[in-house]
Amino acid sequence: MAKPCAGVWGRSMATGQKTYWHLLSQRRAPSDYEVVTSRLLYYPGKEPEVHTPVGAWMGKHRSTIPPETWERFNDPRQTTYRSYTELQSRLEAHIDEVIRADVCGPVSRDTLALLKAYVAPLRYPCHGLMMLAAYAGHLAPSGKVAICLAFQATDELRRIDRITQHAVKRLGADAVRASRLHWQEAKEWQPLRKVIERLLVTYTWDESFIALNLVLKPLIDRVFCDRLGSTLDACGDGTFQQIFRSLADDTRWHREWSAAAVGTAFGPGETDAVQSVVDRWLPSVQHAVEVLAAFASNDAAASDMSEYAVFIEGMGLNAGKGNASKT
Amino acid sequence: MESQHASGESWLSLARKLDWDFSYVDERDVFPAEICGKPWLDGNAWRSWDEPYKTSYSSYVATQHEKEQSLKTVDHVLGRLRDFQSLDVAWLNGLKLHAAALPLAEFAATIGNLRAARFGRDGAWRAAAALGALDECRHAQIPLRMMHKLVRWDRQFDWTHKFYHTNCWVAIAARRLFDELLLFSDPIEFAVATNFVFETGFTNLQFIGLASIAEESGDRLFEQMTMSIQTDEARHAQIGLPVLETVIKHDPEYAQYLIDKWFWRSWVVFAILTGFTMDYLTPVEKRKASFKEFVQEWVLDQFLTSIENLGLKKPWYWDTFLQSLDYYHHMVYASAYTYRATVWFDLVVPGPGELHWLAEKYPNSWKSFEPVWNRIHEQWEHCDPGVDFGVHGTSIVGFCNMCQIVLCQGTPEHNTACTLDHKGQRYIFCSEPCKWIFEREPDRYAGHKDLVKRVLAGEAPANLVQLLRTYCSLDFDSWGKDARKGEYPWLRRQPKDPRKEEG
């Protein structure tokens, strides 16, 4: 402790304290990621200073896992705002190059049909995915989780932008605008729309987050990014595949950090609650994927489900009591 | 403004206006009134929401990456420890005040924006809010990173992160504001209060006024940081106006209420944050204008014009506000100086040069404050340097049951504290506007205990030192002192009489 008169500035010149208060117990120099992301939420465990309806909502729907447990979660990519904008601006510059190199020759009728039926309407479910990420983010049990979900939400915005931009180039603005009707009425989209709409009114944080990031996104992202990309490539539109490949990088990270988050928050003996959410949502998501991805081969669908099973089993869970192998 | 898109990119609105008609659930369940805010309107009523400058994701990350790189370079060149050590000690304490007040409040704004990205009533509004959430995350991370290296030099910088986690009375007041403004507010109130009033109305004070003073004071890092942040604010502040326009169309009385409420609440926080720094913690020779002059130039005309253009009236308490422009931050500063051990930064006594400047800038009010500072000068003249408790308040102070700041409105001669009886309880307020805000929505505010009530309820210790140490997370090393240890060359400190010491 400094003496009252010590130091040129009236304060001690060397405090012996090497980092912020909440990182001292680590007894090591914190990483940049830890300095700028840890314990950013001040309200968990505190009585709110104001009682608003939103505050009551948050209290009612928050995660059942205590905030101090969630605070132990670290994003495996250690994403900060600085690293995110650096990484994503690089990926976006790459897409700009891909689009610049795109020479739009005659587009086959099959390709146009695919673009109209599957690509242009994709903007709507992706917007739903953005809303769902934002919901989980605003109610996130720790600052680090909130940051991952904020970046996930804007990754969806990225996907929407690139899909729209390129679809307008291929189809024209009017056809893209008209795809709202397709999303609302075409049979192939309805099971997915139903899942997304039901998920939008699922407000309990644990259920909303698990259904989104452990069930819906891992499966639907494969369809959106990989299957649609390779189908378009087979039809001669390789540019779209390159765009989707880059977008798939984002979704890979969504799976990685979600698995890490669930692994941190739910101990080996506590996965029943997670499994029950997976069981509840998987059948309808699988059905939505099957109906939507009719354009892809059966082999591709089976391969996606096996990959999903590996992902989910990595967390000590199972893919819907054998559903994976049946598909 | 950066990152607006040329009108040629017509695809962008097709990537933003993405609402659809729900078939499997009810719209009222997707957008419940309790979390979306009022007025609750059918989705079509919100479809006119539009922003003048649209931003694509691509342009966002490219621009923001450039800004981050540029700030990284500036930090590398200007953010060394010796750069901070060369700053005036008073300015440095203004920096501590800002460093603590900003980052975790900015992160609370990330949460508020994420809520708007889900429950905002138009797709384009939601997308803008998602980018706004990222901006606010940036504004939390920049100061946390920049100030981290200063903790080992001065523990008060630990409060850059710690402040909102404590029960220091200023933190209670700050949470009282930001809980309602950012963390637990619905997207409509958030857009009007944060984006329109707070960001459009007031933040120019910080980003233009204070940035120019920072440059003058040699704190180029702070200047560059605030200017870089300002470019983000200018973009996402756009969310507010189109929301407000729709509220005015459907519920003008509520729109007027939100403006009146949030102008007052924003004013109180800027009076302290910016007012302290501009009129007390900036070296007098570096000051360009007074806080009042900055408010007049950067807030009043623009704010009044913008609300009149919308068909709204200026807040009903306008005369009270104009009077507080002459008095309020001076009242709080004198109070904070007197109770400086209850805060995490140091304060200075204005000397003859500063007093002359303040008298010139505040001709209507300064004569009321002169006796306050003359008394403090006298107290220091009878105290040894560094003995802060010889010049420190000891009695219990009262807090406003609305804003949770000490009862400092009005003038030194006439404090405007007033009371209200509500459901068998008596509440006290610093001013009529704070009382009026409480009365409009008592359910939000009535259940709260101020610091004194917490002491009386046995939740916090009554002994001041114990209160500071165990409840407010302050200790001798970190609590506020006179930044110059009371060693002011202009004090006429009496030499000690050796005969008295012998006696």
Side-chain angles (χ1 to χ4, degrees), chain B residues 254-280:
Chain B
Y254 182 58
Q256 183 73 52
Y257 165 66
L258 288 179
I259 294 293
D260 291 1
K261 169 184 173 181
W262 286 107
F263 184 84
W264 182 257
R265 299 207 69 192
S266 304
W267 152 246
V268 167
V269 70
F270 281 101
I272 295 172
L273 194 61
T274 326
F276 277 25
T277 311
M278 284 182 172
D279 283 357
Y280 291 93

PDB file of all heavy atoms in Angstrom, chain B residues 254-280:
ATOM      1  N   TYR B 254     -46.773   9.392 -25.789  1.00  0.00           N
ATOM      2  CA  TYR B 254     -45.690   8.517 -25.294  1.00  0.00           C
ATOM      3  C   TYR B 254     -44.337   8.965 -25.862  1.00  0.00           C
ATOM      4  O   TYR B 254     -43.334   8.960 -25.149  1.00  0.00           O
ATOM      5  CB  TYR B 254     -45.995   7.067 -25.679  1.00  0.00           C
ATOM      6  CG  TYR B 254     -44.968   6.072 -25.171  1.00  0.00           C
ATOM      7  CD1 TYR B 254     -44.699   5.953 -23.810  1.00  0.00           C
ATOM      8  CD2 TYR B 254     -44.286   5.239 -26.058  1.00  0.00           C
ATOM      9  CE1 TYR B 254     -43.758   5.039 -23.339  1.00  0.00           C
ATOM     10  CE2 TYR B 254     -43.350   4.317 -25.590  1.00  0.00           C
ATOM     11  CZ  TYR B 254     -43.088   4.221 -24.245  1.00  0.00           C
ATOM     12  OH  TYR B 254     -42.164   3.320 -23.783  1.00  0.00           O
ATOM     13  N   ALA B 255     -44.344   9.379 -27.115  1.00  0.00           N
ATOM     14  CA  ALA B 255     -43.096   9.869 -27.725  1.00  0.00           C
ATOM     15  C   ALA B 255     -42.571  11.067 -26.950  1.00  0.00           C
ATOM     16  O   ALA B 255     -41.375  11.155 -26.626  1.00  0.00           O
ATOM     17  CB  ALA B 255     -43.337  10.233 -29.185  1.00  0.00           C
ATOM     18  N   GLN B 256     -43.486  11.988 -26.627  1.00  0.00           N
ATOM     19  CA  GLN B 256     -43.084  13.184 -25.870  1.00  0.00           C
ATOM     20  C   GLN B 256     -42.552  12.795 -24.491  1.00  0.00           C
ATOM     21  O   GLN B 256     -41.544  13.324 -24.023  1.00  0.00           O
ATOM     22  CB  GLN B 256     -44.287  14.126 -25.730  1.00  0.00           C
ATOM     23  CG  GLN B 256     -43.970  15.437 -25.013  1.00  0.00           C
ATOM     24  CD  GLN B 256     -43.147  16.400 -25.871  1.00  0.00           C
ATOM     25  OE1 GLN B 256     -43.512  16.695 -27.000  1.00  0.00           O
ATOM     26  NE2 GLN B 256     -42.025  16.864 -25.342  1.00  0.00           N
ATOM     27  N   TYR B 257     -43.220  11.802 -23.867  1.00  0.00           N
ATOM     28  CA  TYR B 257     -42.776  11.341 -22.547  1.00  0.00           C
ATOM     29  C   TYR B 257     -41.346  10.776 -22.620  1.00  0.00           C
ATOM     30  O   TYR B 257     -40.489  11.100 -21.782  1.00  0.00           O
ATOM     31  CB  TYR B 257     -43.750  10.277 -22.017  1.00  0.00           C
ATOM     32  CG  TYR B 257     -43.189   9.502 -20.848  1.00  0.00           C
ATOM     33  CD1 TYR B 257     -42.940  10.129 -19.632  1.00  0.00           C
ATOM     34  CD2 TYR B 257     -42.880   8.147 -20.973  1.00  0.00           C
ATOM     35  CE1 TYR B 257     -42.397   9.421 -18.567  1.00  0.00           C
ATOM     36  CE2 TYR B 257     -42.347   7.441 -19.907  1.00  0.00           C
ATOM     37  CZ  TYR B 257     -42.098   8.073 -18.711  1.00  0.00           C
ATOM     38  OH  TYR B 257     -41.549   7.383 -17.662  1.00  0.00           O
ATOM     39  N   LEU B 258     -41.107   9.946 -23.635  1.00  0.00           N
ATOM     40  CA  LEU B 258     -39.768   9.347 -23.753  1.00  0.00           C
ATOM     41  C   LEU B 258     -38.695  10.417 -23.952  1.00  0.00           C
ATOM     42  O   LEU B 258     -37.603  10.341 -23.375  1.00  0.00           O
ATOM     43  CB  LEU B 258     -39.722   8.346 -24.914  1.00  0.00           C
ATOM     44  CG  LEU B 258     -40.470   7.024 -24.713  1.00  0.00           C
ATOM     45  CD1 LEU B 258     -40.343   6.150 -25.959  1.00  0.00           C
ATOM     46  CD2 LEU B 258     -39.943   6.254 -23.493  1.00  0.00           C
ATOM     47  N   ILE B 259     -39.012  11.406 -24.767  1.00  0.00           N
ATOM     48  CA  ILE B 259     -38.044  12.482 -24.998  1.00  0.00           C
ATOM     49  C   ILE B 259     -37.790  13.250 -23.701  1.00  0.00           C
ATOM     50  O   ILE B 259     -36.638  13.498 -23.318  1.00  0.00           O
ATOM     51  CB  ILE B 259     -38.565  13.462 -26.091  1.00  0.00           C
ATOM     52  CG1 ILE B 259     -38.658  12.759 -27.446  1.00  0.00           C
ATOM     53  CG2 ILE B 259     -37.700  14.718 -26.176  1.00  0.00           C
ATOM     54  CD1 ILE B 259     -37.347  12.361 -28.045  1.00  0.00           C
ATOM     55  N   ASP B 260     -38.858  13.606 -23.007  1.00  0.00           N
ATOM     56  CA  ASP B 260     -38.712  14.386 -21.767  1.00  0.00           C
ATOM     57  C   ASP B 260     -37.920  13.603 -20.716  1.00  0.00           C
ATOM     58  O   ASP B 260     -37.029  14.129 -20.055  1.00  0.00           O
ATOM     59  CB  ASP B 260     -40.094  14.748 -21.194  1.00  0.00           C
ATOM     60  CG  ASP B 260     -40.819  15.762 -22.080  1.00  0.00           C
ATOM     61  OD1 ASP B 260     -40.259  16.151 -23.123  1.00  0.00           O
ATOM     62  OD2 ASP B 260     -41.951  16.153 -21.731  1.00  0.00           O
ATOM     63  N   LYS B 261     -38.281  12.340 -20.587  1.00  0.00           N
ATOM     64  CA  LYS B 261     -37.621  11.513 -19.575  1.00  0.00           C
ATOM     65  C   LYS B 261     -36.128  11.350 -19.897  1.00  0.00           C
ATOM     66  O   LYS B 261     -35.268  11.535 -19.034  1.00  0.00           O
ATOM     67  CB  LYS B 261     -38.306  10.145 -19.547  1.00  0.00           C
ATOM     68  CG  LYS B 261     -37.610   9.065 -18.746  1.00  0.00           C
ATOM     69  CD  LYS B 261     -38.388   7.757 -18.929  1.00  0.00           C
ATOM     70  CE  LYS B 261     -37.718   6.566 -18.335  1.00  0.00           C
ATOM     71  NZ  LYS B 261     -38.493   5.334 -18.564  1.00  0.00           N
ATOM     72  N   TRP B 262     -35.826  11.012 -21.142  1.00  0.00           N
ATOM     73  CA  TRP B 262     -34.447  10.647 -21.452  1.00  0.00           C
ATOM     74  C   TRP B 262     -33.552  11.847 -21.692  1.00  0.00           C
ATOM     75  O   TRP B 262     -32.331  11.740 -21.543  1.00  0.00           O
ATOM     76  CB  TRP B 262     -34.395   9.637 -22.602  1.00  0.00           C
ATOM     77  CG  TRP B 262     -34.850   8.309 -22.075  1.00  0.00           C
ATOM     78  CD1 TRP B 262     -36.026   7.682 -22.311  1.00  0.00           C
ATOM     79  CD2 TRP B 262     -34.151   7.497 -21.112  1.00  0.00           C
ATOM     80  NE1 TRP B 262     -36.117   6.523 -21.579  1.00  0.00           N
ATOM     81  CE2 TRP B 262     -34.976   6.379 -20.831  1.00  0.00           C
ATOM     82  CE3 TRP B 262     -32.913   7.608 -20.452  1.00  0.00           C
ATOM     83  CZ2 TRP B 262     -34.595   5.381 -19.932  1.00  0.00           C
ATOM     84  CZ3 TRP B 262     -32.544   6.609 -19.556  1.00  0.00           C
ATOM     85  CH2 TRP B 262     -33.375   5.517 -19.313  1.00  0.00           C
ATOM     86  N   PHE B 263     -34.131  12.988 -22.013  1.00  0.00           N
ATOM     87  CA  PHE B 263     -33.281  14.181 -22.091  1.00  0.00           C
ATOM     88  C   PHE B 263     -32.771  14.511 -20.690  1.00  0.00           C
ATOM     89  O   PHE B 263     -31.596  14.778 -20.490  1.00  0.00           O
ATOM     90  CB  PHE B 263     -34.047  15.370 -22.690  1.00  0.00           C
ATOM     91  CG  PHE B 263     -33.165  16.575 -22.866  1.00  0.00           C
ATOM     92  CD1 PHE B 263     -32.367  16.707 -23.997  1.00  0.00           C
ATOM     93  CD2 PHE B 263     -33.087  17.556 -21.884  1.00  0.00           C
ATOM     94  CE1 PHE B 263     -31.513  17.793 -24.150  1.00  0.00           C
ATOM     95  CE2 PHE B 263     -32.232  18.648 -22.033  1.00  0.00           C
ATOM     96  CZ  PHE B 263     -31.448  18.775 -23.172  1.00  0.00           C
ATOM     97  N   TRP B 264     -33.670  14.438 -19.717  1.00  0.00           N
ATOM     98  CA  TRP B 264     -33.262  14.767 -18.344  1.00  0.00           C
ATOM     99  C   TRP B 264     -32.235  13.757 -17.823  1.00  0.00           C
ATOM    100  O   TRP B 264     -31.197  14.109 -17.275  1.00  0.00           O
ATOM    101  CB  TRP B 264     -34.479  14.806 -17.417  1.00  0.00           C
ATOM    102  CG  TRP B 264     -34.102  15.184 -16.012  1.00  0.00           C
ATOM    103  CD1 TRP B 264     -33.985  14.351 -14.946  1.00  0.00           C
ATOM    104  CD2 TRP B 264     -33.758  16.500 -15.537  1.00  0.00           C
ATOM    105  NE1 TRP B 264     -33.597  15.042 -13.823  1.00  0.00           N
ATOM    106  CE2 TRP B 264     -33.450  16.370 -14.154  1.00  0.00           C
ATOM    107  CE3 TRP B 264     -33.677  17.753 -16.124  1.00  0.00           C
ATOM    108  CZ2 TRP B 264     -33.064  17.456 -13.370  1.00  0.00           C
ATOM    109  CZ3 TRP B 264     -33.298  18.848 -15.338  1.00  0.00           C
ATOM    110  CH2 TRP B 264     -32.993  18.692 -13.979  1.00  0.00           C
ATOM    111  N   ARG B 265     -32.551  12.484 -18.014  1.00  0.00           N
ATOM    112  CA  ARG B 265     -31.651  11.458 -17.477  1.00  0.00           C
ATOM    113  C   ARG B 265     -30.297  11.499 -18.178  1.00  0.00           C
ATOM    114  O   ARG B 265     -29.266  11.273 -17.561  1.00  0.00           O
ATOM    115  CB  ARG B 265     -32.289  10.067 -17.600  1.00  0.00           C
ATOM    116  CG  ARG B 265     -33.608   9.975 -16.811  1.00  0.00           C
ATOM    117  CD  ARG B 265     -33.897   8.566 -16.360  1.00  0.00           C
ATOM    118  NE  ARG B 265     -32.960   8.153 -15.329  1.00  0.00           N
ATOM    119  CZ  ARG B 265     -32.805   6.911 -14.895  1.00  0.00           C
ATOM    120  NH1 ARG B 265     -33.533   5.953 -15.412  1.00  0.00           N
ATOM    121  NH2 ARG B 265     -31.922   6.617 -13.970  1.00  0.00           N
ATOM    122  N   SER B 266     -30.262  11.766 -19.471  1.00  0.00           N
ATOM    123  CA  SER B 266     -28.992  11.860 -20.194  1.00  0.00           C
ATOM    124  C   SER B 266     -28.219  13.092 -19.730  1.00  0.00           C
ATOM    125  O   SER B 266     -27.007  13.046 -19.542  1.00  0.00           O
ATOM    126  CB  SER B 266     -29.230  11.963 -21.705  1.00  0.00           C
ATOM    127  OG  SER B 266     -30.003  10.885 -22.155  1.00  0.00           O
ATOM    128  N   TRP B 267     -28.972  14.184 -19.541  1.00  0.00           N
ATOM    129  CA  TRP B 267     -28.325  15.425 -19.112  1.00  0.00           C
ATOM    130  C   TRP B 267     -27.558  15.222 -17.807  1.00  0.00           C
ATOM    131  O   TRP B 267     -26.411  15.654 -17.666  1.00  0.00           O
ATOM    132  CB  TRP B 267     -29.395  16.536 -18.966  1.00  0.00           C
ATOM    133  CG  TRP B 267     -29.044  17.586 -17.969  1.00  0.00           C
ATOM    134  CD1 TRP B 267     -29.669  17.854 -16.793  1.00  0.00           C
ATOM    135  CD2 TRP B 267     -27.934  18.512 -18.048  1.00  0.00           C
ATOM    136  NE1 TRP B 267     -29.042  18.866 -16.133  1.00  0.00           N
ATOM    137  CE2 TRP B 267     -27.973  19.292 -16.878  1.00  0.00           C
ATOM    138  CE3 TRP B 267     -26.927  18.732 -18.975  1.00  0.00           C
ATOM    139  CZ2 TRP B 267     -27.037  20.287 -16.621  1.00  0.00           C
ATOM    140  CZ3 TRP B 267     -25.987  19.731 -18.710  1.00  0.00           C
ATOM    141  CH2 TRP B 267     -26.057  20.494 -17.555  1.00  0.00           C
ATOM    142  N   VAL B 268     -28.183  14.539 -16.875  1.00  0.00           N
ATOM    143  CA  VAL B 268     -27.557  14.340 -15.565  1.00  0.00           C
ATOM    144  C   VAL B 268     -26.220  13.604 -15.712  1.00  0.00           C
ATOM    145  O   VAL B 268     -25.208  13.995 -15.120  1.00  0.00           O
ATOM    146  CB  VAL B 268     -28.529  13.569 -14.631  1.00  0.00           C
ATOM    147  CG1 VAL B 268     -27.817  13.059 -13.396  1.00  0.00           C
ATOM    148  CG2 VAL B 268     -29.694  14.465 -14.233  1.00  0.00           C
ATOM    149  N   VAL B 269     -26.184  12.569 -16.546  1.00  0.00           N
ATOM    150  CA  VAL B 269     -24.941  11.799 -16.663  1.00  0.00           C
ATOM    151  C   VAL B 269     -23.861  12.592 -17.395  1.00  0.00           C
ATOM    152  O   VAL B 269     -22.689  12.601 -17.005  1.00  0.00           O
ATOM    153  CB  VAL B 269     -25.173  10.415 -17.309  1.00  0.00           C
ATOM    154  CG1 VAL B 269     -25.519  10.474 -18.760  1.00  0.00           C
ATOM    155  CG2 VAL B 269     -23.939   9.544 -17.156  1.00  0.00           C
ATOM    156  N   PHE B 270     -24.246  13.322 -18.449  1.00  0.00           N
ATOM    157  CA  PHE B 270     -23.224  14.099 -19.168  1.00  0.00           C
ATOM    158  C   PHE B 270     -22.728  15.280 -18.336  1.00  0.00           C
ATOM    159  O   PHE B 270     -21.574  15.680 -18.460  1.00  0.00           O
ATOM    160  CB  PHE B 270     -23.749  14.551 -20.532  1.00  0.00           C
ATOM    161  CG  PHE B 270     -23.704  13.451 -21.548  1.00  0.00           C
ATOM    162  CD1 PHE B 270     -24.834  12.737 -21.874  1.00  0.00           C
ATOM    163  CD2 PHE B 270     -22.498  13.095 -22.152  1.00  0.00           C
ATOM    164  CE1 PHE B 270     -24.787  11.690 -22.786  1.00  0.00           C
ATOM    165  CE2 PHE B 270     -22.444  12.057 -23.059  1.00  0.00           C
ATOM    166  CZ  PHE B 270     -23.592  11.345 -23.389  1.00  0.00           C
ATOM    167  N   ALA B 271     -23.622  15.840 -17.505  1.00  0.00           N
ATOM    168  CA  ALA B 271     -23.189  16.946 -16.649  1.00  0.00           C
ATOM    169  C   ALA B 271     -22.027  16.495 -15.770  1.00  0.00           C
ATOM    170  O   ALA B 271     -21.067  17.239 -15.545  1.00  0.00           O
ATOM    171  CB  ALA B 271     -24.350  17.428 -15.792  1.00  0.00           C
ATOM    172  N   ILE B 272     -22.109  15.256 -15.303  1.00  0.00           N
ATOM    173  CA  ILE B 272     -21.055  14.769 -14.411  1.00  0.00           C
ATOM    174  C   ILE B 272     -19.834  14.316 -15.226  1.00  0.00           C
ATOM    175  O   ILE B 272     -18.718  14.781 -15.001  1.00  0.00           O
ATOM    176  CB  ILE B 272     -21.606  13.630 -13.532  1.00  0.00           C
ATOM    177  CG1 ILE B 272     -22.696  14.203 -12.611  1.00  0.00           C
ATOM    178  CG2 ILE B 272     -20.487  12.977 -12.728  1.00  0.00           C
ATOM    179  CD1 ILE B 272     -23.464  13.178 -11.828  1.00  0.00           C
ATOM    180  N   LEU B 273     -20.075  13.453 -16.189  1.00  0.00           N
ATOM    181  CA  LEU B 273     -18.963  12.858 -16.941  1.00  0.00           C
ATOM    182  C   LEU B 273     -18.193  13.928 -17.721  1.00  0.00           C
ATOM    183  O   LEU B 273     -16.967  14.060 -17.610  1.00  0.00           O
ATOM    184  CB  LEU B 273     -19.548  11.818 -17.906  1.00  0.00           C
ATOM    185  CG  LEU B 273     -18.590  10.836 -18.549  1.00  0.00           C
ATOM    186  CD1 LEU B 273     -17.891   9.999 -17.500  1.00  0.00           C
ATOM    187  CD2 LEU B 273     -19.358   9.917 -19.508  1.00  0.00           C
ATOM    188  N   THR B 274     -18.894  14.699 -18.502  1.00  0.00           N
ATOM    189  CA  THR B 274     -18.230  15.685 -19.345  1.00  0.00           C
ATOM    190  C   THR B 274     -18.010  16.990 -18.583  1.00  0.00           C
ATOM    191  O   THR B 274     -16.977  17.645 -18.754  1.00  0.00           O
ATOM    192  CB  THR B 274     -19.077  15.959 -20.606  1.00  0.00           C
ATOM    193  OG1 THR B 274     -19.729  14.757 -20.995  1.00  0.00           O
ATOM    194  CG2 THR B 274     -18.218  16.447 -21.738  1.00  0.00           C
ATOM    195  N   GLY B 275     -18.995  17.353 -17.749  1.00  0.00           N
ATOM    196  CA  GLY B 275     -18.892  18.615 -17.006  1.00  0.00           C
ATOM    197  C   GLY B 275     -17.676  18.641 -16.091  1.00  0.00           C
ATOM    198  O   GLY B 275     -16.917  19.619 -16.069  1.00  0.00           O
ATOM    199  N   PHE B 276     -17.461  17.575 -15.339  1.00  0.00           N
ATOM    200  CA  PHE B 276     -16.286  17.498 -14.457  1.00  0.00           C
ATOM    201  C   PHE B 276     -15.010  17.690 -15.274  1.00  0.00           C
ATOM    202  O   PHE B 276     -14.111  18.433 -14.907  1.00  0.00           O
ATOM    203  CB  PHE B 276     -16.206  16.115 -13.795  1.00  0.00           C
ATOM    204  CG  PHE B 276     -17.046  15.934 -12.563  1.00  0.00           C
ATOM    205  CD1 PHE B 276     -18.175  16.697 -12.341  1.00  0.00           C
ATOM    206  CD2 PHE B 276     -16.701  14.978 -11.614  1.00  0.00           C
ATOM    207  CE1 PHE B 276     -18.953  16.506 -11.210  1.00  0.00           C
ATOM    208  CE2 PHE B 276     -17.457  14.779 -10.473  1.00  0.00           C
ATOM    209  CZ  PHE B 276     -18.595  15.536 -10.278  1.00  0.00           C
ATOM    210  N   THR B 277     -14.926  16.939 -16.373  1.00  0.00           N
ATOM    211  CA  THR B 277     -13.670  16.927 -17.125  1.00  0.00           C
ATOM    212  C   THR B 277     -13.407  18.280 -17.771  1.00  0.00           C
ATOM    213  O   THR B 277     -12.285  18.781 -17.727  1.00  0.00           O
ATOM    214  CB  THR B 277     -13.728  15.810 -18.198  1.00  0.00           C
ATOM    215  OG1 THR B 277     -14.172  14.616 -17.573  1.00  0.00           O
ATOM    216  CG2 THR B 277     -12.364  15.575 -18.829  1.00  0.00           C
ATOM    217  N   MET B 278     -14.441  18.870 -18.350  1.00  0.00           N
ATOM    218  CA  MET B 278     -14.216  20.123 -19.068  1.00  0.00           C
ATOM    219  C   MET B 278     -13.928  21.294 -18.133  1.00  0.00           C
ATOM    220  O   MET B 278     -13.071  22.112 -18.409  1.00  0.00           O
ATOM    221  CB  MET B 278     -15.440  20.460 -19.916  1.00  0.00           C
ATOM    222  CG  MET B 278     -15.546  19.613 -21.171  1.00  0.00           C
ATOM    223  SD  MET B 278     -16.984  20.109 -22.127  1.00  0.00           S
ATOM    224  CE  MET B 278     -16.726  19.157 -23.628  1.00  0.00           C
ATOM    225  N   ASP B 279     -14.670  21.380 -17.019  1.00  0.00           N
ATOM    226  CA  ASP B 279     -14.578  22.590 -16.193  1.00  0.00           C
ATOM    227  C   ASP B 279     -13.666  22.453 -14.980  1.00  0.00           C
ATOM    228  O   ASP B 279     -13.381  23.451 -14.313  1.00  0.00           O
ATOM    229  CB  ASP B 279     -15.976  23.004 -15.721  1.00  0.00           C
ATOM    230  CG  ASP B 279     -16.758  23.698 -16.832  1.00  0.00           C
ATOM    231  OD1 ASP B 279     -16.185  23.887 -17.929  1.00  0.00           O
ATOM    232  OD2 ASP B 279     -17.931  24.039 -16.614  1.00  0.00           O
ATOM    233  N   TYR B 280     -13.225  21.234 -14.676  1.00  0.00           N
ATOM    234  CA  TYR B 280     -12.382  21.070 -13.481  1.00  0.00           C
ATOM    235  C   TYR B 280     -11.107  20.265 -13.733  1.00  0.00           C
ATOM    236  O   TYR B 280     -10.079  20.549 -13.138  1.00  0.00           O
ATOM    237  CB  TYR B 280     -13.177  20.397 -12.360  1.00  0.00           C
ATOM    238  CG  TYR B 280     -14.266  21.285 -11.788  1.00  0.00           C
ATOM    239  CD1 TYR B 280     -15.565  21.239 -12.286  1.00  0.00           C
ATOM    240  CD2 TYR B 280     -13.974  22.203 -10.782  1.00  0.00           C
ATOM    241  CE1 TYR B 280     -16.562  22.069 -11.776  1.00  0.00           C
ATOM    242  CE2 TYR B 280     -14.959  23.042 -10.264  1.00  0.00           C
ATOM    243  CZ  TYR B 280     -16.249  22.972 -10.773  1.00  0.00           C
ATOM    244  OH  TYR B 280     -17.221  23.798 -10.269  1.00  0.00           O
TER     245      TYR B 280
END
